[in-house]
Amino acid sequence: MGTSKRKLSSDIKKILKQKPITQLNETAPELSKKILNPNHLSSSFDTEDTINESIKIITKHFITISSNGFKGKTKKELASDSITQQEFIEMILDQIENQAYINSEILEKSLKIVMCKFLEIEEFDVYSFAHHLFYEIIYQVLLGDLNDNIKDVFEDFNYDLIKKMVKNLTDQIMNDSVYEKVNLFIDRKLYLKDVLIHISKQTSNASFGEF
């Protein structure tokens, strides 16, 4: 764990300890702002070129699979065949790696999760895919930085409860204004860094919801 990661973890614990468990929601804006600062986010999202290339390659293959299938299986069959599904996803990731190396584990994990979801969706829409991808990355970033720290401070909190809290938090941060920015990014009318700055600003009224 690097120095910056340790410092972030220390800062998160410090914020969590400021309030009793009954007032945990009051810490959500400060916590999420601390975690979702643009510099921290940029490493999780990787480079703009990597995101663009990933979405471009995925779009091509998901449009193709709708009409041609993959290894003799239709898209619908692929959704329920875990082995061939994994081959399909790994093939796409290999192609992405050939064009733009993926440095972020969170990005790679999020790409896999969202691709699996979209195998079950009849029509592929690049904007919808991008919305789900950005959402998943934010969720994974928050979960990764909050899970252990919350459990360290509040021992009674289990993983399922923390996941629910983080989902509530992500739902509030990833609002319509964020998705409008994501659309502009897909249309090459906005830089990734500007989308991340906007996401960071959505933390001001965030909460963990009821738990």
Side-chain angles (χ1 to χ4, degrees):
M1 183 185 290
T3 303
S4 60
K5 186 73 173 176
R6 282 197 298 271
K7 185 179 185 309
L8 178 60
S9 180
S10 175
D11 289 344
I12 290 169
K13 286 188 176 74
K14 191 179 297 182
I15 295 168
L16 287 168
K17 290 174 182 177
Q18 289 174 359
K19 299 284 184 180
I21 195 169
T22 54
Q23 297 175 26
L24 190 57
N25 265 324
E26 294 179 22
T27 67
E30 187 178 1
L31 282 169
S32 52
K33 184 178 181 180
K34 174 72 68 175
I35 295 167
L36 300 180
N37 72 78
N39 288 335
H40 185 44
L41 280 182
S42 64
S43 62
S44 298
F45 273 83
D46 217 312
T47 68
E48 183 162 327
D49 286 345
T50 300
I51 290 282
N52 279 327
E53 196 64 36
S54 298
I55 293 173
K56 175 184 171 184
I57 291 171
I58 289 166
T59 299
K60 181 186 74 172
H61 282 290
F62 269 76
I63 290 173
T64 300
I65 198 176
S66 294
S67 55
N68 298 337
F70 178 74
K71 290 195 170 182
K73 294 185 181 292
T74 65
K75 182 180 177 183
K76 187 176 181 179
E77 290 171 336
L78 198 61
S80 58
D81 182 341
S82 59
I83 295 175
T84 312
Q85 180 184 121
Q86 185 66 24
E87 290 177 3
F88 176 69
I89 289 172
E90 290 298 330
M91 179 267 293
I92 292 176
L93 290 174
D94 286 344
Q95 287 197 16
I96 294 170
E97 291 274 11
N98 287 336
Q99 299 297 323
Y101 186 74
I102 300 174
N103 291 296
S104 166
E105 291 182 6
I106 285 180
L107 172 59
E108 183 171 344
K109 180 178 182 178
S110 299
L111 286 169
K112 289 179 179 179
I113 290 170
V114 179
M115 280 193 280
C116 285
K117 287 180 181 177
F118 269 72
L119 284 172
E120 299 178 358
I121 296 174
E122 189 170 342
E123 291 189 14
F124 182 87
D125 177 79
V126 66
Y127 297 102
S128 179
F129 182 87
H131 293 178
H132 280 78
L133 178 61
F134 275 64
Y135 179 99
E136 189 64 37
I137 294 171
I138 295 300
Y139 172 78
Q140 293 295 338
V141 170
L142 288 168
L143 184 63
D145 285 322
L146 285 172
N147 180 48
D148 288 343
N149 289 307
I150 289 177
K151 285 195 292 187
D152 285 347
V153 176
F154 303 108
E155 294 180 358
D156 292 338
F157 279 56
N158 60 44
Y159 184 56
D160 287 339
L161 177 57
I162 294 170
K163 283 199 299 182
K164 178 184 176 183
M165 292 165 60
V166 172
K167 185 181 183 305
N168 289 338
L169 190 61
T170 310
D171 286 346
Q172 293 172 52
I173 292 168
M174 297 300 288
N175 55 39
D176 288 343
S177 72
V178 170
Y179 293 131
E180 287 174 5
K181 301 293 184 186
V182 174
N183 289 348
L184 290 172
F185 170 73
I186 293 299
D187 291 336
R188 306 294 178 92
K189 294 178 180 178
L190 198 66
Y191 292 116
L192 177 62
K193 65 178 182 179
D194 296 317
V195 181
L196 302 187
I197 289 170
H198 187 73
I199 290 172
S200 184
K201 290 178 179 177
Q202 307 312 303
T203 59
S204 57
N205 296 312
S207 81
F208 294 115
E210 295 183 7
F211 56 88

